[in-house]
Amino acid sequence: MSAPSGASEQKNGTSEITQDSDDLPDMLDAKLWQNPCPFSFRINYLSLLYNTPLYAWIQDTYGLKRHEYVVIYSLALADGGSARDISRTSGFPKNTLSRAVKRLEMMGLLEERSKAPGGGRRQALRLSDKGRKLFNETVSVFESYEEKMLTPLSKGERQILFELMSKVVVGAEDWADDLPQTGATDSTKNAKGEMR
Amino acid sequence: MSAPSGASEQKNGTSEITQDSDDLPDMLDAKLWQNPCPFSFRINYLSLLYNTPLYAWIQDTYGLKRHEYVVIYSLALADGGSARDISRTSGFPKNTLSRAVKRLEMMGLLEERSKAPGGGRRQALRLSDKGRKLFNETVSVFESYEEKMLTPLSKGERQILFELMSKVVVGAEDWADDLPQTGATDSTKNAKGEMR
DNA sequence: CTAACTAAGTTCCAAATTGAACTTGACTAC
DNA sequence: GTAGTCAAGTTCAATTTGGAACTTAGTTAG
C-alpha cells in the first residue's frame, strides 16, 4: 500500500499481495520509486550489489575477508597509513582492523611492523611486495566491475556523476555526525559504524 | 607514496608520513582522488556517513537494531512484503531477518502472523499501528538527513543525480552477480551479503 | 493421488564481531 | 624532570552473526 503508482496491481481481485514472484520483488520497486530517501537507498543498494560479489570472489580466491582486503586496498592507495586511518575511511572498528593487520602480517602481505606490543603510537603500515602483487592482481577486477556498473551512462554522464558525488562527499564534513531534528543529541557518545 | 598530487608533502625532511593528524586522514584524500574505483568508494563512504549516525540514533532512541528498523522501513514502503523481499533488497541474510521479525512481532510493531512454525511458504508481513507510528515518527529524521547530505547540490543538480543513479540501478539487473575477468565463476554458489 | 522438486522460514551452533577495558607511548604544562 | 592528558593499538569476553541443516508447503510430473 502506502502510495499510488505501484508497479503492478491487477490480477486477481482478492486482497492478495501482488508479486512478480519469479524474480525481483515488488518491494524493490517501492524502495526505488516511493522512497522518501531515494538517494540513500540508491547508494546503499548499489554498494550492496557492487561489494557482495567482489568480496565473495576475494574470499574464494585469496581466502581474505573483506576487512582484510580493505587493509590491502587502503595501503595500496595510501602507503604508510595507520589502522586508524583505515578505520576512519572504511568504517571498520579498530579492533577488527588490528586483527586483520596481524593476520596479513603473518601471511606476509604486510611489511613487519617494528613495534607491535601494547599499542602506543601511530604505526605506519606498509604493503610487502607480495601484498602489492596481490593488489595489482585484483584491482583490475574491481575496476572493471565498476566499469560494468556504469555501463548505462555515457562518458559525459559519468563525468557529471563523478562531479556531483564529489561535491556531496566533500560537503560531508559539515553534516556528518550531527543528527537533525533530534534536539539534544549529546555528543559524548561516539558512533560506531561499518560499511559493507 | 603511490601517486603524485598528494595533498601535502612538505614539513620535516625526514621520511615521516605526512598527516594532518588533527582531523581527516591523508588516506581519505587518496581514496577520493587516486582511487581506481572512485564511484564505488563514494557510494560506500557516503553510505557509511549516512547510515552510521542514523542507526546509532535509532538504537539509542528505540532500542532497535539496524536490521530490525530495516524491516519496519521496508514494510512501511511495501506492506505485505515477505522476509525474503527484505533480504533481497537490504542484503541481510534471511535468518537474521527471521529473528528480527520475531522480535518486532513480540514488541507489537508487526501484526501477528497466522502461520509461524517451521516456515513453509511466503508470509506477508504487516506493520501494526504501533509499527506504523514508529515509522512515521522516524522517517522525517532520515529524510532531513538525506536533505542535509545533498545540501551542496542545487535543485537541478539533485534532479540530475537522481536520474543518473536511477539509470545505474535500473541497469544493474544486467551486471549484478556476474564477475568480470574471472573466467570460470561457478554459479552454483550463492553470494551472501549485507549492506549497512 | 503420490512422489519429487523447489523455496520460505526457522533453528542450531561454531565462528566472527565489537564494546569495554587496558597498555603503551607521545605530547603538554608546570 | 614529573604529572596529567590523550589517543593508537591490543586484548578479552559476551553478544551477534550467518552458513548449514532442517521443516514446512506449495507446485509440478507421472
mmCIF file with all atom_site columns, all heavy atoms in Angstrom, chain C residues 19-28:
data_model
loop_
_atom_site.group_PDB
_atom_site.id
_atom_site.type_symbol
_atom_site.label_atom_id
_atom_site.label_alt_id
_atom_site.label_comp_id
_atom_site.label_asym_id
_atom_site.label_entity_id
_atom_site.label_seq_id
_atom_site.pdbx_PDB_ins_code
_atom_site.Cartn_x
_atom_site.Cartn_y
_atom_site.Cartn_z
_atom_site.occupancy
_atom_site.B_iso_or_equiv
_atom_site.pdbx_formal_charge
_atom_site.auth_seq_id
_atom_site.auth_comp_id
_atom_site.auth_asym_id
_atom_site.auth_atom_id
_atom_site.pdbx_PDB_model_num
ATOM 1   P P     . DG C 1 19 ? 30.765 -1.530 18.761 1.00 0.00 ? 19 DG C P     1
ATOM 2   O OP1   . DG C 1 19 ? 29.463 -1.550 18.090 1.00 0.00 ? 19 DG C OP1   1
ATOM 3   O OP2   . DG C 1 19 ? 31.842 -0.663 18.263 1.00 0.00 ? 19 DG C OP2   1
ATOM 4   O "O5'" . DG C 1 19 ? 30.536 -1.212 20.309 1.00 0.00 ? 19 DG C "O5'" 1
ATOM 5   C "C5'" . DG C 1 19 ? 29.565 -1.959 21.026 1.00 0.00 ? 19 DG C "C5'" 1
ATOM 6   C "C4'" . DG C 1 19 ? 29.983 -2.143 22.479 1.00 0.00 ? 19 DG C "C4'" 1
ATOM 7   O "O4'" . DG C 1 19 ? 31.019 -3.157 22.580 1.00 0.00 ? 19 DG C "O4'" 1
ATOM 8   C "C3'" . DG C 1 19 ? 30.535 -0.901 23.159 1.00 0.00 ? 19 DG C "C3'" 1
ATOM 9   O "O3'" . DG C 1 19 ? 30.041 -0.905 24.494 1.00 0.00 ? 19 DG C "O3'" 1
ATOM 10  C "C2'" . DG C 1 19 ? 32.048 -1.099 23.092 1.00 0.00 ? 19 DG C "C2'" 1
ATOM 11  C "C1'" . DG C 1 19 ? 32.182 -2.622 23.178 1.00 0.00 ? 19 DG C "C1'" 1
ATOM 12  N N9    . DG C 1 19 ? 33.298 -3.199 22.445 1.00 0.00 ? 19 DG C N9    1
ATOM 13  C C8    . DG C 1 19 ? 33.750 -2.834 21.199 1.00 0.00 ? 19 DG C C8    1
ATOM 14  N N7    . DG C 1 19 ? 34.752 -3.559 20.781 1.00 0.00 ? 19 DG C N7    1
ATOM 15  C C5    . DG C 1 19 ? 34.978 -4.463 21.805 1.00 0.00 ? 19 DG C C5    1
ATOM 16  C C6    . DG C 1 19 ? 35.949 -5.508 21.925 1.00 0.00 ? 19 DG C C6    1
ATOM 17  O O6    . DG C 1 19 ? 36.805 -5.846 21.114 1.00 0.00 ? 19 DG C O6    1
ATOM 18  N N1    . DG C 1 19 ? 35.834 -6.174 23.141 1.00 0.00 ? 19 DG C N1    1
ATOM 19  C C2    . DG C 1 19 ? 34.912 -5.886 24.112 1.00 0.00 ? 19 DG C C2    1
ATOM 20  N N2    . DG C 1 19 ? 34.948 -6.629 25.200 1.00 0.00 ? 19 DG C N2    1
ATOM 21  N N3    . DG C 1 19 ? 34.001 -4.923 24.010 1.00 0.00 ? 19 DG C N3    1
ATOM 22  C C4    . DG C 1 19 ? 34.094 -4.251 22.840 1.00 0.00 ? 19 DG C C4    1
ATOM 23  P P     . DA C 1 20 ? 30.460 0.218  25.498 1.00 0.00 ? 20 DA C P     1
ATOM 24  O OP1   . DA C 1 20 ? 29.298 0.384  26.394 1.00 0.00 ? 20 DA C OP1   1
ATOM 25  O OP2   . DA C 1 20 ? 31.020 1.372  24.772 1.00 0.00 ? 20 DA C OP2   1
ATOM 26  O "O5'" . DA C 1 20 ? 31.639 -0.473 26.324 1.00 0.00 ? 20 DA C "O5'" 1
ATOM 27  C "C5'" . DA C 1 20 ? 31.482 -1.828 26.750 1.00 0.00 ? 20 DA C "C5'" 1
ATOM 28  C "C4'" . DA C 1 20 ? 32.641 -2.190 27.658 1.00 0.00 ? 20 DA C "C4'" 1
ATOM 29  O "O4'" . DA C 1 20 ? 33.709 -2.771 26.872 1.00 0.00 ? 20 DA C "O4'" 1
ATOM 30  C "C3'" . DA C 1 20 ? 33.257 -1.004 28.394 1.00 0.00 ? 20 DA C "C3'" 1
ATOM 31  O "O3'" . DA C 1 20 ? 33.668 -1.441 29.674 1.00 0.00 ? 20 DA C "O3'" 1
ATOM 32  C "C2'" . DA C 1 20 ? 34.450 -0.634 27.517 1.00 0.00 ? 20 DA C "C2'" 1
ATOM 33  C "C1'" . DA C 1 20 ? 34.900 -2.002 27.022 1.00 0.00 ? 20 DA C "C1'" 1
ATOM 34  N N9    . DA C 1 20 ? 35.579 -1.986 25.733 1.00 0.00 ? 20 DA C N9    1
ATOM 35  C C8    . DA C 1 20 ? 35.368 -1.132 24.689 1.00 0.00 ? 20 DA C C8    1
ATOM 36  N N7    . DA C 1 20 ? 36.131 -1.374 23.651 1.00 0.00 ? 20 DA C N7    1
ATOM 37  C C5    . DA C 1 20 ? 36.876 -2.470 24.038 1.00 0.00 ? 20 DA C C5    1
ATOM 38  C C6    . DA C 1 20 ? 37.871 -3.221 23.379 1.00 0.00 ? 20 DA C C6    1
ATOM 39  N N6    . DA C 1 20 ? 38.299 -2.974 22.141 1.00 0.00 ? 20 DA C N6    1
ATOM 40  N N1    . DA C 1 20 ? 38.427 -4.258 24.051 1.00 0.00 ? 20 DA C N1    1
ATOM 41  C C2    . DA C 1 20 ? 38.006 -4.512 25.300 1.00 0.00 ? 20 DA C C2    1
ATOM 42  N N3    . DA C 1 20 ? 37.073 -3.878 26.017 1.00 0.00 ? 20 DA C N3    1
ATOM 43  C C4    . DA C 1 20 ? 36.554 -2.857 25.315 1.00 0.00 ? 20 DA C C4    1
ATOM 44  P P     . DA C 1 21 ? 34.183 -0.356 30.683 1.00 0.00 ? 21 DA C P     1
ATOM 45  O OP1   . DA C 1 21 ? 33.554 -0.674 31.980 1.00 0.00 ? 21 DA C OP1   1
ATOM 46  O OP2   . DA C 1 21 ? 34.088 1.000  30.107 1.00 0.00 ? 21 DA C OP2   1
ATOM 47  O "O5'" . DA C 1 21 ? 35.728 -0.765 30.792 1.00 0.00 ? 21 DA C "O5'" 1
ATOM 48  C "C5'" . DA C 1 21 ? 36.011 -1.869 31.608 1.00 0.00 ? 21 DA C "C5'" 1
ATOM 49  C "C4'" . DA C 1 21 ? 37.302 -2.526 31.178 1.00 0.00 ? 21 DA C "C4'" 1
ATOM 50  O "O4'" . DA C 1 21 ? 37.476 -2.496 29.758 1.00 0.00 ? 21 DA C "O4'" 1
ATOM 51  C "C3'" . DA C 1 21 ? 38.525 -1.838 31.789 1.00 0.00 ? 21 DA C "C3'" 1
ATOM 52  O "O3'" . DA C 1 21 ? 39.236 -2.782 32.557 1.00 0.00 ? 21 DA C "O3'" 1
ATOM 53  C "C2'" . DA C 1 21 ? 39.314 -1.339 30.591 1.00 0.00 ? 21 DA C "C2'" 1
ATOM 54  C "C1'" . DA C 1 21 ? 38.830 -2.224 29.455 1.00 0.00 ? 21 DA C "C1'" 1
ATOM 55  N N9    . DA C 1 21 ? 38.893 -1.577 28.147 1.00 0.00 ? 21 DA C N9    1
ATOM 56  C C8    . DA C 1 21 ? 38.191 -0.486 27.724 1.00 0.00 ? 21 DA C C8    1
ATOM 57  N N7    . DA C 1 21 ? 38.467 -0.121 26.494 1.00 0.00 ? 21 DA C N7    1
ATOM 58  C C5    . DA C 1 21 ? 39.415 -1.036 26.084 1.00 0.00 ? 21 DA C C5    1
ATOM 59  C C6    . DA C 1 21 ? 40.118 -1.184 24.869 1.00 0.00 ? 21 DA C C6    1
ATOM 60  N N6    . DA C 1 21 ? 39.959 -0.388 23.819 1.00 0.00 ? 21 DA C N6    1
ATOM 61  N N1    . DA C 1 21 ? 41.001 -2.204 24.784 1.00 0.00 ? 21 DA C N1    1
ATOM 62  C C2    . DA C 1 21 ? 41.157 -3.013 25.849 1.00 0.00 ? 21 DA C C2    1
ATOM 63  N N3    . DA C 1 21 ? 40.555 -2.971 27.036 1.00 0.00 ? 21 DA C N3    1
ATOM 64  C C4    . DA C 1 21 ? 39.684 -1.936 27.094 1.00 0.00 ? 21 DA C C4    1
ATOM 65  P P     . DC C 1 22 ? 40.366 -2.267 33.465 1.00 0.00 ? 22 DC C P     1
ATOM 66  O OP1   . DC C 1 22 ? 40.516 -3.259 34.540 1.00 0.00 ? 22 DC C OP1   1
ATOM 67  O OP2   . DC C 1 22 ? 40.092 -0.844 33.749 1.00 0.00 ? 22 DC C OP2   1
ATOM 68  O "O5'" . DC C 1 22 ? 41.636 -2.370 32.506 1.00 0.00 ? 22 DC C "O5'" 1
ATOM 69  C "C5'" . DC C 1 22 ? 41.882 -3.613 31.837 1.00 0.00 ? 22 DC C "C5'" 1
ATOM 70  C "C4'" . DC C 1 22 ? 43.015 -3.430 30.842 1.00 0.00 ? 22 DC C "C4'" 1
ATOM 71  O "O4'" . DC C 1 22 ? 42.552 -2.720 29.689 1.00 0.00 ? 22 DC C "O4'" 1
ATOM 72  C "C3'" . DC C 1 22 ? 44.204 -2.635 31.393 1.00 0.00 ? 22 DC C "C3'" 1
ATOM 73  O "O3'" . DC C 1 22 ? 45.351 -3.467 31.391 1.00 0.00 ? 22 DC C "O3'" 1
ATOM 74  C "C2'" . DC C 1 22 ? 44.338 -1.456 30.443 1.00 0.00 ? 22 DC C "C2'" 1
ATOM 75  C "C1'" . DC C 1 22 ? 43.620 -1.949 29.201 1.00 0.00 ? 22 DC C "C1'" 1
ATOM 76  N N1    . DC C 1 22 ? 43.057 -0.868 28.339 1.00 0.00 ? 22 DC C N1    1
ATOM 77  C C2    . DC C 1 22 ? 43.468 -0.784 27.005 1.00 0.00 ? 22 DC C C2    1
ATOM 78  O O2    . DC C 1 22 ? 44.291 -1.603 26.593 1.00 0.00 ? 22 DC C O2    1
ATOM 79  N N3    . DC C 1 22 ? 42.965 0.184  26.213 1.00 0.00 ? 22 DC C N3    1
ATOM 80  C C4    . DC C 1 22 ? 42.074 1.047  26.708 1.00 0.00 ? 22 DC C C4    1
ATOM 81  N N4    . DC C 1 22 ? 41.603 1.973  25.884 1.00 0.00 ? 22 DC C N4    1
ATOM 82  C C5    . DC C 1 22 ? 41.638 0.982  28.061 1.00 0.00 ? 22 DC C C5    1
ATOM 83  C C6    . DC C 1 22 ? 42.137 0.017  28.841 1.00 0.00 ? 22 DC C C6    1
ATOM 84  P P     . DT C 1 23 ? 46.674 -2.944 32.072 1.00 0.00 ? 23 DT C P     1
ATOM 85  O OP1   . DT C 1 23 ? 47.277 -4.090 32.766 1.00 0.00 ? 23 DT C OP1   1
ATOM 86  O OP2   . DT C 1 23 ? 46.413 -1.665 32.770 1.00 0.00 ? 23 DT C OP2   1
ATOM 87  O "O5'" . DT C 1 23 ? 47.555 -2.643 30.782 1.00 0.00 ? 23 DT C "O5'" 1
ATOM 88  C "C5'" . DT C 1 23 ? 47.597 -3.595 29.727 1.00 0.00 ? 23 DT C "C5'" 1
ATOM 89  C "C4'" . DT C 1 23 ? 48.483 -3.049 28.614 1.00 0.00 ? 23 DT C "C4'" 1
ATOM 90  O "O4'" . DT C 1 23 ? 47.751 -2.107 27.813 1.00 0.00 ? 23 DT C "O4'" 1
ATOM 91  C "C3'" . DT C 1 23 ? 49.738 -2.325 29.094 1.00 0.00 ? 23 DT C "C3'" 1
ATOM 92  O "O3'" . DT C 1 23 ? 50.828 -2.800 28.326 1.00 0.00 ? 23 DT C "O3'" 1
ATOM 93  C "C2'" . DT C 1 23 ? 49.426 -0.855 28.863 1.00 0.00 ? 23 DT C "C2'" 1
ATOM 94  C "C1'" . DT C 1 23 ? 48.502 -0.915 27.663 1.00 0.00 ? 23 DT C "C1'" 1
ATOM 95  N N1    . DT C 1 23 ? 47.510 0.188  27.532 1.00 0.00 ? 23 DT C N1    1
ATOM 96  C C2    . DT C 1 23 ? 47.357 0.785  26.308 1.00 0.00 ? 23 DT C C2    1
ATOM 97  O O2    . DT C 1 23 ? 47.999 0.471  25.326 1.00 0.00 ? 23 DT C O2    1
ATOM 98  N N3    . DT C 1 23 ? 46.410 1.778  26.274 1.00 0.00 ? 23 DT C N3    1
ATOM 99  C C4    . DT C 1 23 ? 45.616 2.214  27.318 1.00 0.00 ? 23 DT C C4    1
ATOM 100 O O4    . DT C 1 23 ? 44.802 3.100  27.158 1.00 0.00 ? 23 DT C O4    1
ATOM 101 C C5    . DT C 1 23 ? 45.831 1.538  28.575 1.00 0.00 ? 23 DT C C5    1
ATOM 102 C C7    . DT C 1 23 ? 45.038 1.935  29.769 1.00 0.00 ? 23 DT C C7    1
ATOM 103 C C6    . DT C 1 23 ? 46.756 0.575  28.621 1.00 0.00 ? 23 DT C C6    1
ATOM 104 P P     . DT C 1 24 ? 52.303 -2.412 28.712 1.00 0.00 ? 24 DT C P     1
ATOM 105 O OP1   . DT C 1 24 ? 53.162 -3.560 28.351 1.00 0.00 ? 24 DT C OP1   1
ATOM 106 O OP2   . DT C 1 24 ? 52.302 -1.832 30.077 1.00 0.00 ? 24 DT C OP2   1
ATOM 107 O "O5'" . DT C 1 24 ? 52.592 -1.248 27.668 1.00 0.00 ? 24 DT C "O5'" 1
ATOM 108 C "C5'" . DT C 1 24 ? 52.393 -1.515 26.276 1.00 0.00 ? 24 DT C "C5'" 1
ATOM 109 C "C4'" . DT C 1 24 ? 52.459 -0.212 25.515 1.00 0.00 ? 24 DT C "C4'" 1
ATOM 110 O "O4'" . DT C 1 24 ? 51.270 0.572  25.772 1.00 0.00 ? 24 DT C "O4'" 1
ATOM 111 C "C3'" . DT C 1 24 ? 53.642 0.680  25.885 1.00 0.00 ? 24 DT C "C3'" 1
ATOM 112 O "O3'" . DT C 1 24 ? 54.444 0.810  24.737 1.00 0.00 ? 24 DT C "O3'" 1
ATOM 113 C "C2'" . DT C 1 24 ? 53.009 1.997  26.334 1.00 0.00 ? 24 DT C "C2'" 1
ATOM 114 C "C1'" . DT C 1 24 ? 51.625 1.922  25.702 1.00 0.00 ? 24 DT C "C1'" 1
ATOM 115 N N1    . DT C 1 24 ? 50.553 2.680  26.374 1.00 0.00 ? 24 DT C N1    1
ATOM 116 C C2    . DT C 1 24 ? 49.779 3.537  25.632 1.00 0.00 ? 24 DT C C2    1
ATOM 117 O O2    . DT C 1 24 ? 49.948 3.712  24.438 1.00 0.00 ? 24 DT C O2    1
ATOM 118 N N3    . DT C 1 24 ? 48.800 4.195  26.344 1.00 0.00 ? 24 DT C N3    1
ATOM 119 C C4    . DT C 1 24 ? 48.523 4.070  27.686 1.00 0.00 ? 24 DT C C4    1
ATOM 120 O O4    . DT C 1 24 ? 47.615 4.706  28.200 1.00 0.00 ? 24 DT C O4    1
ATOM 121 C C5    . DT C 1 24 ? 49.367 3.156  28.399 1.00 0.00 ? 24 DT C C5    1
ATOM 122 C C7    . DT C 1 24 ? 49.147 2.949  29.868 1.00 0.00 ? 24 DT C C7    1
ATOM 123 C C6    . DT C 1 24 ? 50.328 2.503  27.726 1.00 0.00 ? 24 DT C C6    1
ATOM 124 P P     . DG C 1 25 ? 55.936 1.292  24.884 1.00 0.00 ? 25 DG C P     1
ATOM 125 O OP1   . DG C 1 25 ? 56.748 0.536  23.910 1.00 0.00 ? 25 DG C OP1   1
ATOM 126 O OP2   . DG C 1 25 ? 56.307 1.355  26.320 1.00 0.00 ? 25 DG C OP2   1
ATOM 127 O "O5'" . DG C 1 25 ? 55.793 2.775  24.340 1.00 0.00 ? 25 DG C "O5'" 1
ATOM 128 C "C5'" . DG C 1 25 ? 55.351 2.959  23.006 1.00 0.00 ? 25 DG C "C5'" 1
ATOM 129 C "C4'" . DG C 1 25 ? 54.760 4.330  22.882 1.00 0.00 ? 25 DG C "C4'" 1
ATOM 130 O "O4'" . DG C 1 25 ? 53.700 4.498  23.835 1.00 0.00 ? 25 DG C "O4'" 1
ATOM 131 C "C3'" . DG C 1 25 ? 55.737 5.480  23.151 1.00 0.00 ? 25 DG C "C3'" 1
ATOM 132 O "O3'" . DG C 1 25 ? 55.883 6.198  21.952 1.00 0.00 ? 25 DG C "O3'" 1
ATOM 133 C "C2'" . DG C 1 25 ? 55.067 6.307  24.248 1.00 0.00 ? 25 DG C "C2'" 1
ATOM 134 C "C1'" . DG C 1 25 ? 53.627 5.863  24.138 1.00 0.00 ? 25 DG C "C1'" 1
ATOM 135 N N9    . DG C 1 25 ? 52.796 6.009  25.321 1.00 0.00 ? 25 DG C N9    1
ATOM 136 C C8    . DG C 1 25 ? 52.959 5.419  26.543 1.00 0.00 ? 25 DG C C8    1
ATOM 137 N N7    . DG C 1 25 ? 52.019 5.746  27.403 1.00 0.00 ? 25 DG C N7    1
ATOM 138 C C5    . DG C 1 25 ? 51.196 6.611  26.700 1.00 0.00 ? 25 DG C C5    1
ATOM 139 C C6    . DG C 1 25 ? 50.027 7.288  27.102 1.00 0.00 ? 25 DG C C6    1
ATOM 140 O O6    . DG C 1 25 ? 49.452 7.275  28.189 1.00 0.00 ? 25 DG C O6    1
ATOM 141 N N1    . DG C 1 25 ? 49.503 8.066  26.068 1.00 0.00 ? 25 DG C N1    1
ATOM 142 C C2    . DG C 1 25 ? 50.052 8.169  24.811 1.00 0.00 ? 25 DG C C2    1
ATOM 143 N N2    . DG C 1 25 ? 49.412 8.949  23.936 1.00 0.00 ? 25 DG C N2    1
ATOM 144 N N3    . DG C 1 25 ? 51.141 7.535  24.417 1.00 0.00 ? 25 DG C N3    1
ATOM 145 C C4    . DG C 1 25 ? 51.657 6.784  25.413 1.00 0.00 ? 25 DG C C4    1
ATOM 146 P P     . DA C 1 26 ? 57.069 7.114  21.687 1.00 0.00 ? 26 DA C P     1
ATOM 147 O OP1   . DA C 1 26 ? 57.587 6.778  20.349 1.00 0.00 ? 26 DA C OP1   1
ATOM 148 O OP2   . DA C 1 26 ? 57.957 7.126  22.865 1.00 0.00 ? 26 DA C OP2   1
ATOM 149 O "O5'" . DA C 1 26 ? 56.354 8.549  21.599 1.00 0.00 ? 26 DA C "O5'" 1
ATOM 150 C "C5'" . DA C 1 26 ? 55.561 8.840  20.457 1.00 0.00 ? 26 DA C "C5'" 1
ATOM 151 C "C4'" . DA C 1 26 ? 54.582 9.938  20.821 1.00 0.00 ? 26 DA C "C4'" 1
ATOM 152 O "O4'" . DA C 1 26 ? 53.908 9.579  22.034 1.00 0.00 ? 26 DA C "O4'" 1
ATOM 153 C "C3'" . DA C 1 26 ? 55.259 11.289 21.098 1.00 0.00 ? 26 DA C "C3'" 1
ATOM 154 O "O3'" . DA C 1 26 ? 54.747 12.254 20.206 1.00 0.00 ? 26 DA C "O3'" 1
ATOM 155 C "C2'" . DA C 1 26 ? 54.884 11.606 22.542 1.00 0.00 ? 26 DA C "C2'" 1
ATOM 156 C "C1'" . DA C 1 26 ? 53.657 10.754 22.760 1.00 0.00 ? 26 DA C "C1'" 1
ATOM 157 N N9    . DA C 1 26 ? 53.430 10.374 24.140 1.00 0.00 ? 26 DA C N9    1
ATOM 158 C C8    . DA C 1 26 ? 54.159 9.525  24.907 1.00 0.00 ? 26 DA C C8    1
ATOM 159 N N7    . DA C 1 26 ? 53.697 9.364  26.130 1.00 0.00 ? 26 DA C N7    1
ATOM 160 C C5    . DA C 1 26 ? 52.583 10.170 26.164 1.00 0.00 ? 26 DA C C5    1
ATOM 161 C C6    . DA C 1 26 ? 51.641 10.452 27.177 1.00 0.00 ? 26 DA C C6    1
ATOM 162 N N6    . DA C 1 26 ? 51.694 9.919  28.389 1.00 0.00 ? 26 DA C N6    1
ATOM 163 N N1    . DA C 1 26 ? 50.648 11.303 26.883 1.00 0.00 ? 26 DA C N1    1
ATOM 164 C C2    . DA C 1 26 ? 50.593 11.842 25.647 1.00 0.00 ? 26 DA C C2    1
ATOM 165 N N3    . DA C 1 26 ? 51.412 11.659 24.610 1.00 0.00 ? 26 DA C N3    1
ATOM 166 C C4    . DA C 1 26 ? 52.396 10.800 24.947 1.00 0.00 ? 26 DA C C4    1
ATOM 167 P P     . DC C 1 27 ? 55.619 13.598 20.004 1.00 0.00 ? 27 DC C P     1
ATOM 168 O OP1   . DC C 1 27 ? 55.861 13.687 18.543 1.00 0.00 ? 27 DC C OP1   1
ATOM 169 O OP2   . DC C 1 27 ? 56.767 13.608 20.965 1.00 0.00 ? 27 DC C OP2   1
ATOM 170 O "O5'" . DC C 1 27 ? 54.657 14.771 20.439 1.00 0.00 ? 27 DC C "O5'" 1
ATOM 171 C "C5'" . DC C 1 27 ? 53.233 14.569 20.406 1.00 0.00 ? 27 DC C "C5'" 1
ATOM 172 C "C4'" . DC C 1 27 ? 52.612 15.334 21.554 1.00 0.00 ? 27 DC C "C4'" 1
ATOM 173 O "O4'" . DC C 1 27 ? 52.657 14.539 22.764 1.00 0.00 ? 27 DC C "O4'" 1
ATOM 174 C "C3'" . DC C 1 27 ? 53.325 16.642 21.887 1.00 0.00 ? 27 DC C "C3'" 1
ATOM 175 O "O3'" . DC C 1 27 ? 52.376 17.694 21.808 1.00 0.00 ? 27 DC C "O3'" 1
ATOM 176 C "C2'" . DC C 1 27 ? 53.830 16.441 23.318 1.00 0.00 ? 27 DC C "C2'" 1
ATOM 177 C "C1'" . DC C 1 27 ? 52.847 15.419 23.853 1.00 0.00 ? 27 DC C "C1'" 1
ATOM 178 N N1    . DC C 1 27 ? 53.342 14.629 25.005 1.00 0.00 ? 27 DC C N1    1
ATOM 179 C C2    . DC C 1 27 ? 52.592 14.623 26.190 1.00 0.00 ? 27 DC C C2    1
ATOM 180 O O2    . DC C 1 27 ? 51.536 15.285 26.245 1.00 0.00 ? 27 DC C O2    1
ATOM 181 N N3    . DC C 1 27 ? 53.031 13.896 27.251 1.00 0.00 ? 27 DC C N3    1
ATOM 182 C C4    . DC C 1 27 ? 54.163 13.193 27.156 1.00 0.00 ? 27 DC C C4    1
ATOM 183 N N4    . DC C 1 27 ? 54.531 12.499 28.232 1.00 0.00 ? 27 DC C N4    1
ATOM 184 C C5    . DC C 1 27 ? 54.932 13.175 25.963 1.00 0.00 ? 27 DC C C5    1
ATOM 185 C C6    . DC C 1 27 ? 54.499 13.910 24.924 1.00 0.00 ? 27 DC C C6    1
ATOM 186 P P     . DT C 1 28 ? 52.912 19.208 22.041 1.00 0.00 ? 28 DT C P     1
ATOM 187 O OP1   . DT C 1 28 ? 52.199 20.047 21.058 1.00 0.00 ? 28 DT C OP1   1
ATOM 188 O OP2   . DT C 1 28 ? 54.387 19.221 22.127 1.00 0.00 ? 28 DT C OP2   1
ATOM 189 O "O5'" . DT C 1 28 ? 52.342 19.538 23.496 1.00 0.00 ? 28 DT C "O5'" 1
ATOM 190 C "C5'" . DT C 1 28 ? 50.978 19.281 23.802 1.00 0.00 ? 28 DT C "C5'" 1
ATOM 191 C "C4'" . DT C 1 28 ? 50.692 19.739 25.214 1.00 0.00 ? 28 DT C "C4'" 1
ATOM 192 O "O4'" . DT C 1 28 ? 51.174 18.738 26.158 1.00 0.00 ? 28 DT C "O4'" 1
ATOM 193 C "C3'" . DT C 1 28 ? 51.361 21.055 25.580 1.00 0.00 ? 28 DT C "C3'" 1
ATOM 194 O "O3'" . DT C 1 28 ? 50.387 21.927 26.148 1.00 0.00 ? 28 DT C "O3'" 1
ATOM 195 C "C2'" . DT C 1 28 ? 52.446 20.673 26.584 1.00 0.00 ? 28 DT C "C2'" 1
ATOM 196 C "C1'" . DT C 1 28 ? 51.906 19.377 27.184 1.00 0.00 ? 28 DT C "C1'" 1
ATOM 197 N N1    . DT C 1 28 ? 52.951 18.410 27.622 1.00 0.00 ? 28 DT C N1    1
ATOM 198 C C2    . DT C 1 28 ? 52.834 17.828 28.862 1.00 0.00 ? 28 DT C C2    1
ATOM 199 O O2    . DT C 1 28 ? 51.915 18.067 29.625 1.00 0.00 ? 28 DT C O2    1
ATOM 200 N N3    . DT C 1 28 ? 53.833 16.939 29.169 1.00 0.00 ? 28 DT C N3    1
ATOM 201 C C4    . DT C 1 28 ? 54.912 16.589 28.390 1.00 0.00 ? 28 DT C C4    1
ATOM 202 O O4    . DT C 1 28 ? 55.738 15.784 28.779 1.00 0.00 ? 28 DT C O4    1
ATOM 203 C C5    . DT C 1 28 ? 54.980 17.239 27.101 1.00 0.00 ? 28 DT C C5    1
ATOM 204 C C7    . DT C 1 28 ? 56.111 16.936 26.170 1.00 0.00 ? 28 DT C C7    1
ATOM 205 C C6    . DT C 1 28 ? 54.007 18.115 26.777 1.00 0.00 ? 28 DT C C6    1
#
